[in-house]
Amino acid sequence: MTKKEHIIPEGILRKFLEDYCDHVCNSKEINEVTKTAPFICDGFADEETYTKLKGPKVLFIGKEPHHFTERQSPIICNEDDLKPENFKKWSKNTFYQNLMFYFYAIDSLYSTPQKYTFELSDCNLKTDDGKTVSKLIDLFRKIAFINIKKWDTKDSTSRDATIKQYAAEYKKPLREQIKAIDPDIIFLCGTESAFNKLIDEDEWKKEYDDFKNLSCLNCNNSKSQWFYFLALKEEEKTRLVINYYHPSSTQRPGWIDVLALQNIMRNAITYMKAHKGDKDFESLLEKINQVKINSL
């Protein structure tokens, strides 16, 4: 397979995905993979919808694609896939079900439980109702998702050491892709240790001591938090980072994830409001405050 055979869709991310393919990698092991495994594009489910969102834009960061080809993506990115008859296949997949639970927890922060877009039965989305499917598609259009490793090696499970190696080797194009997507909230899907490889020491916000009780996941490591704040170099923007379980690994009922993530979001908002004088949080709070109550 040559680089010319990689199918990269038009749009904001084209340059950065091409840069990823063309990036000079020092790892012999990774270079051997890129010769044989298909490169899987990722990014927006629907670029036009995402870029026009008034509320907070959310980017999910996963590990790697499994069992795809270069003509497919781990995120729906063409209009045919968003047709109800095709979308049902995607929405029945556990990974995408949980991904939508995660996103809905943020998108519907101020909604009441009765107004949830979908019903839960044995952790499966009920997608037989045409109206429900339509609402799920509208929800999914708001999502952006990328993997750290973008070559599908047909592995049945992800190896964290391998994902961290890809993060270190492809730090520059990955950072550029994140900046191009320009999220307000970065949601780590079990990828915190690899994501840390993309971030320089001086880019972490340091106000950990006064909110460990709000955000602590593992207080022995100041970077292992349910949430924290991040300001990338050469950007004035501060982003909220949420650290949570990978959508494929959880067997918890989706309602538990919704409630847990909404609690994480409320704690993050509580912290930002308590530091209203910090100009770093002004834009982020303004975005989050634009989340409207869903009337679905």
Side-chain angles (χ1 to χ4, degrees), residues 228-242:
Y228 47 84
F229 303 99
L230 178 68
L232 295 175
K233 282 183 179 177
E234 301 175 0
E235 291 188 322
E236 295 181 1
K237 182 171 185 171
T238 296
R239 310 179 199 273
L240 169 62
V241 180
I242 295 178

Side-chain angles (χ1 to χ4, degrees), residues 18-50:
E18 287 176 338
D19 286 350
Y20 199 113
C21 288
D22 293 335
H23 180 79
V24 178
C25 176
N26 294 320
S27 167
K28 181 179 179 181
E29 178 184 353
I30 290 178
N31 281 327
E32 287 300 312
V33 168
T34 64
K35 292 178 183 177
T36 57
F39 177 84
I40 309 298
C41 294
D42 49 29
F44 307 109
D46 181 357
E47 182 176 316
E48 183 178 3
T49 298
Y50 187 91

Side-chain angles (χ1 to χ4, degrees), residues 47-90:
E47 182 176 316
E48 183 178 3
T49 298
Y50 187 91
T51 53
K52 290 182 179 179
L53 287 174
K54 293 182 179 179
K57 297 179 175 68
V58 183
L59 168 64
F60 292 87
I61 299 183
K63 297 180 179 181
E64 62 180 326
H66 290 298
H67 307 298
F68 289 92
T69 71
E70 64 269 32
R71 292 186 178 273
Q72 293 178 301
S73 171
I75 187 77
I76 297 174
C77 59
N78 68 66
E79 201 60 33
D80 282 343
D81 287 325
L82 290 167
K83 292 178 179 177
E85 61 271 22
N86 296 327
F87 184 79
K88 284 185 180 183
K89 294 182 295 185
W90 294 79

Side-chain angles (χ1 to χ4, degrees), residues 12 20 38 60 82 96 113 125 140 161 184 188 212 221 295:
I12 293 172
Y20 199 113
F60 292 87
L82 290 167
Y96 292 102
L125 300 178
F140 207 82
D184 302 293
L188 304 180
K212 274 189 175 179
N221 180 356
S295 57

Side-chain angles (χ1 to χ4, degrees), residues 142-187:
K142 302 177 182 178
I143 290 176
F145 178 90
I146 67 171
N147 278 307
I148 288 175
K149 175 187 171 187
K150 301 191 191 301
W151 278 274
D152 184 3
T153 50
K154 308 298 182 184
D155 296 330
S156 58
T157 57
S158 296
R159 296 171 177 81
D160 286 342
T162 301
I163 306 304
K164 287 166 69 174
Q165 184 182 13
Y166 272 80
E169 291 290 347
Y170 291 95
K171 176 178 178 177
K172 185 176 186 293
L174 281 167
R175 283 177 63 110
E176 289 177 344
Q177 188 183 23
I178 291 170
K179 289 166 72 173
I181 293 172
D182 193 28
D184 302 293
I185 299 173
I186 295 175
F187 195 113

